[in-house]
């Protein structure tokens, strides 16, 4: 969650972004970067769940 190849995905680091924006990044990836699109594997509702999870309690990964 503190990043490495990608940026940190802690709640702090994601502050200021809406759940919808984050879900869009997850689903579409970031073209031109290593961040892949996950839309072949996740339903929209799942990406939104993930975005909200990251925004709220990313310190306590399941
Ligand atoms: C399910 C797994 C993953 C999730 C939920 C996820 C989520 C995210 C999110 C939300 C961002 C945007 C962060 C921000 O706006 O500050 C991001 C960026 C990024 N991710 Fe991922 N990611 C995943 C897997 C991966 C993998 C496997 C890679 C590389 C092999 C990767 C590489 C990157 C990179 C390089 C960026 C920065 C893109 C840029 O420069 O804009 N991610 N990721």
């Amino acid at each position: 969650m503190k990043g490495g190849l990608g940026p940190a995905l802690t709640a702090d680091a994601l502050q200021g972004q809406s759940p919808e924006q984050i879900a869009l990044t997850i689903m579409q990836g970031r073209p031109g970067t290593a961040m892949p699109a996950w839309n072949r594997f996740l339903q929209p509702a799942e990406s939104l769940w993930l975005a909200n999870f990251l925004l709220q309690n990313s310190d306590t990964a399941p």
Side-chain angles (χ1 to χ4, degrees), residues 5-7 9 14 17 22 25-26 30 33-36 38 50:
L5 182 56
L9 296 178
L14 295 171
Q17 295 197 60
I22 295 170
T25 295
I26 294 170
R30 291 264 173 89
T33 78
M35 176 62 183
W38 294 93
L50 200 46

Side-chain angles (χ1 to χ4, degrees), residues 1-2 6 11 28-29 31 36-37 39-40 47 49-50 56 58 60:
M1 293 291 192
K2 292 179 180 162
Q28 300 185 346
N39 57 3
R40 284 181 298 162
S47 67
W49 181 91
L50 200 46
Q56 282 163 27
S58 55
T60 54

Side-chain angles (χ1 to χ4, degrees), residues 7-55:
L9 296 178
T10 56
D12 271 358
L14 295 171
Q15 275 312 308
Q17 295 197 60
S18 68
E20 289 77 15
Q21 280 176 301
I22 295 170
L24 205 65
T25 295
I26 294 170
M27 290 302 257
Q28 300 185 346
R30 291 264 173 89
T33 78
M35 176 62 183
W38 294 93
N39 57 3
R40 284 181 298 162
F41 311 103
L42 298 175
Q43 298 296 321
E46 292 173 322
S47 67
L48 199 56
W49 181 91
L50 200 46
N52 278 301
F53 171 80
L54 291 173
L55 277 171

